[in-house]
């Protein structure tokens, strides 16, 4: 696994900041409807071993936190052992090539790093890698309420406004 090139330039476009890492890689951060987005655009693959299957592995680290496998996903935990920012999750990574074809992605950990592995067999560059970072809040389910007073979901239906048969 080769180290990513250092930041050679930055650009700002609306709510997106792009860190240019040479001609082969961009790392980007954007603020949108889903919150803070973070991802990579790969323009050139690093040289690989002849005859090996083509896997691109991105190593992601953040100072003061380490990834821990929890319930089939990753949680970022502060160096003092507490959940960073209250259960900050990292996962559900998505990757696609220039044709829009989805590429297989897997996440794992190595020490204080998250490893994002993307199968690039047959992929057309550039490749976009977009992991999801989110903060989990308390989860409410219908089973948490007593069976005779289970009105879970009724407030959602009563708060909708309809006009001419269309829901807004």
């Amino acid at each position: 696994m080769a180290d990513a090139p250092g930041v050679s330039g930055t650009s700002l476009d609306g709510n997106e900041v792009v860190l240019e890492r040479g001609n082969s890689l961009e790392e980007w951060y954007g603020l949108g409807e889903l919150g803070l987005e973070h991802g990579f655009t790969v323009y050139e693959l690093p040289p690989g071993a002849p005859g090996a299957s083509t896997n691109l592995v991105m190593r992601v680290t953040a100072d003061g936190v380490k990834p821990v496998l929890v319930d089939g996903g990753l949680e970022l935990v502060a160096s003092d052992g507490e959940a960073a920012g209250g259960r900050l999750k990292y996962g559900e990574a998505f990757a696609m090539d220039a044709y829009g074809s989805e590429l297989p992605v897997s996440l794992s950990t190595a020490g204080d790093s998250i490893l994002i592995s993307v199968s690039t067999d047959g992929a057309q560059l550039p490749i976009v890698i977009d992991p999801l970072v989110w903060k989990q809040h308390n989860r409410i389910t219908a089973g948490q309420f007593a069976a005779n007073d289970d009105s879970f979901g009724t407030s959602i239906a009563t708060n909708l406004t309809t006009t001419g048969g269309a829901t807004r």
Side-chain angles (χ1 to χ4, degrees):
M1 179 178 356
D3 289 335
V7 176
S8 58
T10 59
S11 61
L12 177 64
D13 182 17
N15 289 337
E16 185 173 88
V17 175
V18 177
L19 306 176
E20 300 159 5
R21 296 184 174 274
N23 294 324
S24 61
L25 177 67
E26 288 180 343
E27 181 177 1
W28 42 267
Y29 297 84
L31 188 57
E33 292 179 20
L34 298 175
L36 182 63
E37 290 276 333
H38 171 243
F40 307 92
T41 304
V42 179
Y43 295 98
E44 183 179 310
L45 295 174
S53 66
T54 312
N55 274 330
L56 171 66
V57 179
M58 305 289 293
R59 180 184 298 267
V60 179
T61 60
D63 291 339
V65 296
K66 69 176 193 169
V68 176
L69 291 170
V70 177
D71 298 328
L74 297 174
E75 185 172 303
L76 300 180
V77 176
S79 56
D80 64 5
E82 294 295 318
R87 298 186 61 117
L88 191 61
K89 303 287 188 171
Y90 193 98
E92 299 183 30
F94 175 80
M96 70 178 182
D97 72 0
Y99 294 130
S101 299
E102 189 171 343
L103 304 173
V105 179
S106 64
L107 297 174
S108 60
T109 63
D112 290 347
S113 299
I114 297 169
L115 302 180
I116 306 171
S117 180
V118 180
S119 174
T120 59
D121 290 333
Q124 178 66 40
L125 295 171
I127 294 170
V128 174
I129 304 168
D130 189 3
L132 182 60
V133 181
W134 73 98
K135 182 177 179 182
Q136 182 174 334
H137 297 279
N138 289 337
R139 185 174 174 184
I140 299 172
T141 62
Q144 291 175 321
F145 302 100
N148 60 355
D149 189 27
D150 193 353
S151 56
F152 181 73
T154 57
S155 63
I156 295 170
T158 58
N159 285 334
L160 295 176
T161 304
T162 59
T163 305
T167 301
R168 291 193 278 158

PDB file of all heavy atoms in Angstrom, residues 34 36 73-74 84 86-93 131-137:
ATOM      1  N   LEU A  34     -27.327  15.619   3.672  1.00  0.00           N
ATOM      2  CA  LEU A  34     -27.061  14.508   4.581  1.00  0.00           C
ATOM      3  C   LEU A  34     -26.038  14.857   5.655  1.00  0.00           C
ATOM      4  O   LEU A  34     -25.677  14.012   6.461  1.00  0.00           O
ATOM      5  CB  LEU A  34     -26.566  13.293   3.794  1.00  0.00           C
ATOM      6  CG  LEU A  34     -27.539  12.730   2.772  1.00  0.00           C
ATOM      7  CD1 LEU A  34     -26.889  11.610   1.977  1.00  0.00           C
ATOM      8  CD2 LEU A  34     -28.812  12.252   3.450  1.00  0.00           C
ATOM      9  N   LEU A  36     -22.121  16.282   6.660  1.00  0.00           N
ATOM     10  CA  LEU A  36     -20.766  16.382   6.131  1.00  0.00           C
ATOM     11  C   LEU A  36     -20.433  15.155   5.298  1.00  0.00           C
ATOM     12  O   LEU A  36     -20.539  14.027   5.772  1.00  0.00           O
ATOM     13  CB  LEU A  36     -19.757  16.512   7.273  1.00  0.00           C
ATOM     14  CG  LEU A  36     -18.297  16.666   6.873  1.00  0.00           C
ATOM     15  CD1 LEU A  36     -18.083  17.954   6.085  1.00  0.00           C
ATOM     16  CD2 LEU A  36     -17.409  16.647   8.090  1.00  0.00           C
ATOM     17  N   GLY A  73     -20.221  -2.868  11.955  1.00  0.00           N
ATOM     18  CA  GLY A  73     -19.775  -1.618  11.368  1.00  0.00           C
ATOM     19  C   GLY A  73     -18.588  -1.075  12.132  1.00  0.00           C
ATOM     20  O   GLY A  73     -17.998  -1.760  12.963  1.00  0.00           O
ATOM     21  N   LEU A  74     -18.246   0.154  11.844  1.00  0.00           N
ATOM     22  CA  LEU A  74     -17.132   0.803  12.522  1.00  0.00           C
ATOM     23  C   LEU A  74     -17.635   1.975  13.349  1.00  0.00           C
ATOM     24  O   LEU A  74     -18.522   2.708  12.931  1.00  0.00           O
ATOM     25  CB  LEU A  74     -16.116   1.320  11.499  1.00  0.00           C
ATOM     26  CG  LEU A  74     -15.427   0.278  10.634  1.00  0.00           C
ATOM     27  CD1 LEU A  74     -14.558   0.956   9.585  1.00  0.00           C
ATOM     28  CD2 LEU A  74     -14.590  -0.648  11.475  1.00  0.00           C
ATOM     29  N   ALA A  84     -16.237   8.941  20.169  1.00  0.00           N
ATOM     30  CA  ALA A  84     -15.910  10.280  19.663  1.00  0.00           C
ATOM     31  C   ALA A  84     -17.190  10.995  19.257  1.00  0.00           C
ATOM     32  O   ALA A  84     -17.892  10.560  18.372  1.00  0.00           O
ATOM     33  CB  ALA A  84     -14.964  10.168  18.472  1.00  0.00           C
ATOM     34  N   GLY A  86     -20.001  11.149  20.526  1.00  0.00           N
ATOM     35  CA  GLY A  86     -21.251  10.450  20.777  1.00  0.00           C
ATOM     36  C   GLY A  86     -21.615   9.490  19.666  1.00  0.00           C
ATOM     37  O   GLY A  86     -22.437   9.792  18.835  1.00  0.00           O
ATOM     38  N   ARG A  87     -20.941   8.354  19.585  1.00  0.00           N
ATOM     39  CA  ARG A  87     -21.237   7.279  18.642  1.00  0.00           C
ATOM     40  C   ARG A  87     -21.124   7.708  17.182  1.00  0.00           C
ATOM     41  O   ARG A  87     -22.068   7.591  16.412  1.00  0.00           O
ATOM     42  CB  ARG A  87     -22.608   6.687  18.930  1.00  0.00           C
ATOM     43  CG  ARG A  87     -22.690   6.056  20.315  1.00  0.00           C
ATOM     44  CD  ARG A  87     -24.000   5.360  20.528  1.00  0.00           C
ATOM     45  NE  ARG A  87     -24.135   4.306  19.538  1.00  0.00           N
ATOM     46  CZ  ARG A  87     -24.220   3.021  19.825  1.00  0.00           C
ATOM     47  NH1 ARG A  87     -24.201   2.638  21.070  1.00  0.00           N
ATOM     48  NH2 ARG A  87     -24.332   2.126  18.884  1.00  0.00           N
ATOM     49  N   LEU A  88     -19.986   8.184  16.806  1.00  0.00           N
ATOM     50  CA  LEU A  88     -19.724   8.547  15.417  1.00  0.00           C
ATOM     51  C   LEU A  88     -19.436   7.271  14.642  1.00  0.00           C
ATOM     52  O   LEU A  88     -18.550   6.501  15.001  1.00  0.00           O
ATOM     53  CB  LEU A  88     -18.535   9.505  15.342  1.00  0.00           C
ATOM     54  CG  LEU A  88     -18.289  10.174  14.002  1.00  0.00           C
ATOM     55  CD1 LEU A  88     -19.486  11.030  13.595  1.00  0.00           C
ATOM     56  CD2 LEU A  88     -17.050  11.032  14.073  1.00  0.00           C
ATOM     57  N   LYS A  89     -20.222   7.009  13.617  1.00  0.00           N
ATOM     58  CA  LYS A  89     -20.127   5.786  12.824  1.00  0.00           C
ATOM     59  C   LYS A  89     -19.447   6.074  11.487  1.00  0.00           C
ATOM     60  O   LYS A  89     -19.530   7.187  10.963  1.00  0.00           O
ATOM     61  CB  LYS A  89     -21.513   5.203  12.557  1.00  0.00           C
ATOM     62  CG  LYS A  89     -22.318   4.904  13.792  1.00  0.00           C
ATOM     63  CD  LYS A  89     -21.778   3.697  14.481  1.00  0.00           C
ATOM     64  CE  LYS A  89     -22.703   3.282  15.623  1.00  0.00           C
ATOM     65  NZ  LYS A  89     -22.329   2.021  16.180  1.00  0.00           N
ATOM     66  N   TYR A  90     -18.803   5.038  10.937  1.00  0.00           N
ATOM     67  CA  TYR A  90     -18.129   5.148   9.649  1.00  0.00           C
ATOM     68  C   TYR A  90     -18.395   3.851   8.899  1.00  0.00           C
ATOM     69  O   TYR A  90     -18.126   2.767   9.419  1.00  0.00           O
ATOM     70  CB  TYR A  90     -16.628   5.323   9.860  1.00  0.00           C
ATOM     71  CG  TYR A  90     -15.849   5.755   8.645  1.00  0.00           C
ATOM     72  CD1 TYR A  90     -15.519   7.088   8.463  1.00  0.00           C
ATOM     73  CD2 TYR A  90     -15.451   4.833   7.692  1.00  0.00           C
ATOM     74  CE1 TYR A  90     -14.789   7.494   7.361  1.00  0.00           C
ATOM     75  CE2 TYR A  90     -14.726   5.236   6.578  1.00  0.00           C
ATOM     76  CZ  TYR A  90     -14.397   6.566   6.415  1.00  0.00           C
ATOM     77  OH  TYR A  90     -13.680   6.962   5.325  1.00  0.00           O
ATOM     78  N   GLY A  91     -18.955   3.937   7.720  1.00  0.00           N
ATOM     79  CA  GLY A  91     -19.234   2.708   6.988  1.00  0.00           C
ATOM     80  C   GLY A  91     -20.074   2.932   5.763  1.00  0.00           C
ATOM     81  O   GLY A  91     -20.158   4.041   5.238  1.00  0.00           O
ATOM     82  N   GLU A  92     -20.732   1.859   5.321  1.00  0.00           N
ATOM     83  CA  GLU A  92     -21.593   1.880   4.150  1.00  0.00           C
ATOM     84  C   GLU A  92     -20.919   2.585   2.976  1.00  0.00           C
ATOM     85  O   GLU A  92     -21.508   3.420   2.308  1.00  0.00           O
ATOM     86  CB  GLU A  92     -22.943   2.504   4.480  1.00  0.00           C
ATOM     87  CG  GLU A  92     -23.695   1.727   5.546  1.00  0.00           C
ATOM     88  CD  GLU A  92     -25.065   2.270   5.843  1.00  0.00           C
ATOM     89  OE1 GLU A  92     -25.699   2.841   4.936  1.00  0.00           O
ATOM     90  OE2 GLU A  92     -25.510   2.114   6.993  1.00  0.00           O
ATOM     91  N   ALA A  93     -19.658   2.248   2.747  1.00  0.00           N
ATOM     92  CA  ALA A  93     -18.901   2.879   1.669  1.00  0.00           C
ATOM     93  C   ALA A  93     -19.457   2.474   0.306  1.00  0.00           C
ATOM     94  O   ALA A  93     -19.934   1.353   0.112  1.00  0.00           O
ATOM     95  CB  ALA A  93     -17.427   2.498   1.767  1.00  0.00           C
ATOM     96  N   PRO A 131     -17.420   6.935   1.461  1.00  0.00           N
ATOM     97  CA  PRO A 131     -17.887   6.311   2.702  1.00  0.00           C
ATOM     98  C   PRO A 131     -18.890   7.216   3.412  1.00  0.00           C
ATOM     99  O   PRO A 131     -18.893   8.430   3.202  1.00  0.00           O
ATOM    100  CB  PRO A 131     -16.606   6.155   3.518  1.00  0.00           C
ATOM    101  CG  PRO A 131     -15.711   7.236   3.012  1.00  0.00           C
ATOM    102  CD  PRO A 131     -16.073   7.452   1.561  1.00  0.00           C
ATOM    103  N   LEU A 132     -19.718   6.630   4.225  1.00  0.00           N
ATOM    104  CA  LEU A 132     -20.712   7.383   4.977  1.00  0.00           C
ATOM    105  C   LEU A 132     -20.226   7.569   6.407  1.00  0.00           C
ATOM    106  O   LEU A 132     -19.787   6.617   7.046  1.00  0.00           O
ATOM    107  CB  LEU A 132     -22.043   6.629   4.958  1.00  0.00           C
ATOM    108  CG  LEU A 132     -23.230   7.273   5.645  1.00  0.00           C
ATOM    109  CD1 LEU A 132     -23.557   8.620   5.006  1.00  0.00           C
ATOM    110  CD2 LEU A 132     -24.443   6.359   5.565  1.00  0.00           C
ATOM    111  N   VAL A 133     -20.289   8.798   6.891  1.00  0.00           N
ATOM    112  CA  VAL A 133     -19.945   9.124   8.273  1.00  0.00           C
ATOM    113  C   VAL A 133     -21.203   9.723   8.898  1.00  0.00           C
ATOM    114  O   VAL A 133     -21.792  10.644   8.341  1.00  0.00           O
ATOM    115  CB  VAL A 133     -18.785  10.153   8.335  1.00  0.00           C
ATOM    116  CG1 VAL A 133     -18.422  10.459   9.779  1.00  0.00           C
ATOM    117  CG2 VAL A 133     -17.586   9.674   7.549  1.00  0.00           C
ATOM    118  N   TRP A 134     -21.635   9.171  10.039  1.00  0.00           N
ATOM    119  CA  TRP A 134     -22.839   9.691  10.658  1.00  0.00           C
ATOM    120  C   TRP A 134     -22.779   9.534  12.163  1.00  0.00           C
ATOM    121  O   TRP A 134     -22.004   8.762  12.684  1.00  0.00           O
ATOM    122  CB  TRP A 134     -24.088   9.007  10.088  1.00  0.00           C
ATOM    123  CG  TRP A 134     -24.308   7.602  10.515  1.00  0.00           C
ATOM    124  CD1 TRP A 134     -25.135   7.167  11.518  1.00  0.00           C
ATOM    125  CD2 TRP A 134     -23.724   6.416   9.972  1.00  0.00           C
ATOM    126  NE1 TRP A 134     -25.086   5.795  11.625  1.00  0.00           N
ATOM    127  CE2 TRP A 134     -24.222   5.307  10.687  1.00  0.00           C
ATOM    128  CE3 TRP A 134     -22.804   6.173   8.950  1.00  0.00           C
ATOM    129  CZ2 TRP A 134     -23.854   4.001  10.412  1.00  0.00           C
ATOM    130  CZ3 TRP A 134     -22.431   4.871   8.685  1.00  0.00           C
ATOM    131  CH2 TRP A 134     -22.957   3.814   9.400  1.00  0.00           C
ATOM    132  N   LYS A 135     -23.621  10.301  12.814  1.00  0.00           N
ATOM    133  CA  LYS A 135     -23.732  10.221  14.267  1.00  0.00           C
ATOM    134  C   LYS A 135     -25.049   9.532  14.590  1.00  0.00           C
ATOM    135  O   LYS A 135     -26.107   9.982  14.162  1.00  0.00           O
ATOM    136  CB  LYS A 135     -23.706  11.612  14.905  1.00  0.00           C
ATOM    137  CG  LYS A 135     -23.768  11.573  16.415  1.00  0.00           C
ATOM    138  CD  LYS A 135     -23.661  12.964  16.999  1.00  0.00           C
ATOM    139  CE  LYS A 135     -23.757  12.895  18.506  1.00  0.00           C
ATOM    140  NZ  LYS A 135     -23.696  14.213  19.105  1.00  0.00           N
ATOM    141  N   GLN A 136     -24.959   8.420  15.313  1.00  0.00           N
ATOM    142  CA  GLN A 136     -26.163   7.685  15.662  1.00  0.00           C
ATOM    143  C   GLN A 136     -26.775   8.279  16.911  1.00  0.00           C
ATOM    144  O   GLN A 136     -26.120   8.459  17.924  1.00  0.00           O
ATOM    145  CB  GLN A 136     -25.850   6.215  15.897  1.00  0.00           C
ATOM    146  CG  GLN A 136     -27.086   5.408  16.226  1.00  0.00           C
ATOM    147  CD  GLN A 136     -26.793   3.928  16.305  1.00  0.00           C
ATOM    148  OE1 GLN A 136     -25.861   3.454  15.700  1.00  0.00           O
ATOM    149  NE2 GLN A 136     -27.588   3.215  17.064  1.00  0.00           N
ATOM    150  N   HIS A 137     -28.051   8.587  16.816  1.00  0.00           N
ATOM    151  CA  HIS A 137     -28.814   9.056  17.964  1.00  0.00           C
ATOM    152  C   HIS A 137     -29.578   7.863  18.521  1.00  0.00           C
ATOM    153  O   HIS A 137     -29.545   6.780  17.963  1.00  0.00           O
ATOM    154  CB  HIS A 137     -29.772  10.177  17.541  1.00  0.00           C
ATOM    155  CG  HIS A 137     -29.048  11.378  17.019  1.00  0.00           C
ATOM    156  ND1 HIS A 137     -28.481  12.322  17.838  1.00  0.00           N
ATOM    157  CD2 HIS A 137     -28.755  11.769  15.755  1.00  0.00           C
ATOM    158  CE1 HIS A 137     -27.897  13.244  17.107  1.00  0.00           C
ATOM    159  NE2 HIS A 137     -28.045  12.932  15.840  1.00  0.00           N
TER     160      HIS A 137
END
